[in-house]
Amino acid sequence: MIRVLLADDQTLVRAAFAMLVESAPDMEVVGQAGTGREAVELARSERADLVVMDIRMPDLDGIEATRLIAADEDLAGVKVLVLTTYDTDEYIVEALRAGASGFLVKDTRPAELLDGIRTVAAGEALLSPGPTSRLIARFLRGPASGPPVADPDCLSEREREVLALVARGLNNTETAEALGLSPLTAKTHVSRIMGKLGARDRAQLVIVAYESGLVTPGSM
């Protein structure tokens, strides 16, 4: 069972999400938070596997709440899926930098939201197609506001190839097919890359690839 914590300042929205999540046989709602601070506290007390996090909330916004969860060693296994109506470059970039593993807008279809929860809970990165294109454009327009997680120069040539495909959004199976590898080998490469770069998850690998210049939109 995937233990899900819902964080949204609108009671009706939380109730609707709770009904949807509880309808899935492989998920359960372990808590609901109306503020970012409540989300952090419940993440610590309820030991959720994943937090569905709204961006704009009172007391503490979703980005700062995500940052606190990602920085807490006791919550190392907790993933954050940001779900918001505010589909803008700034929120996408800040959510990923804060440690979010996924980003979806609230007009996502119910089945897609459930699939998104499963994807992020399994350790994959998830970005809505529209926001992803704007995220890439943002990296083109100017320098990043901070250094990458680590320098990709520490990677082998094969690992750099794998990282480039991860940054393009390919999963392990697709990466394996593109490079003529087995899915297990591709997964092993991704795990080693994350270890070398100190990346929390695949979402951070995307940031490293673009900020370092290893991947550019022209190479997509």
Side-chain angles (χ1 to χ4, degrees):
M1 294 290 287
I2 303 173
R3 295 169 57 81
V4 180
L5 169 63
L6 302 173
D8 194 296
D9 63 337
Q10 298 182 44
T11 303
L12 289 179
V13 172
R14 290 202 310 272
F17 287 161
M19 290 180 61
L20 175 62
V21 171
E22 290 287 359
S23 72
D26 56 341
M27 301 179 195
E28 63 175 332
V29 176
V30 296
Q32 297 186 39
T35 71
R37 199 169 303 281
E38 288 179 0
V40 176
E41 293 172 353
L42 285 174
R44 290 170 176 156
S45 64
E46 300 302 327
R47 297 297 173 180
D49 297 313
L50 180 143
V51 181
V52 177
M53 184 81 75
D54 188 24
I55 291 289
R56 291 193 175 182
M57 292 186 289
D59 189 24
L60 191 72
D61 66 34
I63 291 175
E64 186 58 31
T66 297
R67 186 173 290 112
L68 291 176
I69 290 173
D72 191 330
E73 293 183 358
D74 291 336
L75 299 178
V78 179
K79 305 294 184 181
V80 176
L81 173 60
V82 171
L83 189 66
T84 181
T85 55
Y86 299 95
D87 179 5
T88 65
D89 293 335
E90 289 74 18
Y91 289 124
I92 297 167
V93 173
E94 289 306 311
L96 293 176
R97 287 189 186 283
S101 298
F103 187 104
L104 287 174
V105 292
K106 285 185 176 177
D107 61 0
T108 298
R109 291 181 298 177
E112 292 176 343
L113 174 57
L114 294 179
D115 285 342
I117 290 174
R118 295 185 182 101
T119 297
V120 172
E124 300 286 339
L126 179 70
L127 299 172
S128 292
T132 300
S133 64
R134 285 188 292 282
L135 172 65
I136 294 170
R138 179 183 174 88
F139 282 114
L140 271 187
R141 288 199 295 270
S145 61
V149 177
D151 190 341
D153 286 345
C154 69
L155 304 178
S156 68
E157 186 60 33
R158 174 61 82 186
E159 288 169 341
R160 289 168 64 86
E161 292 175 342
V162 171
L163 176 57
L165 294 177
V166 169
R168 289 173 53 193
L170 275 65
N171 59 32
N172 291 336
T173 299
E174 294 166 337
T175 296
E177 292 176 352
L179 297 178
L181 307 172
S182 71
L184 179 59
T185 299
K187 181 178 181 180
T188 299
H189 278 307
V190 172
S191 296
R192 287 176 178 170
I193 293 168
M194 290 174 62
K196 286 184 176 182
L197 298 181
R200 176 185 173 91
D201 52 31
R202 294 171 73 103
Q204 285 196 335
L205 292 184
V206 174
I207 291 177
V208 172
Y210 282 103
E211 289 189 341
S212 67
L214 177 64
V215 175
T216 64
S219 66
M220 295 287 284

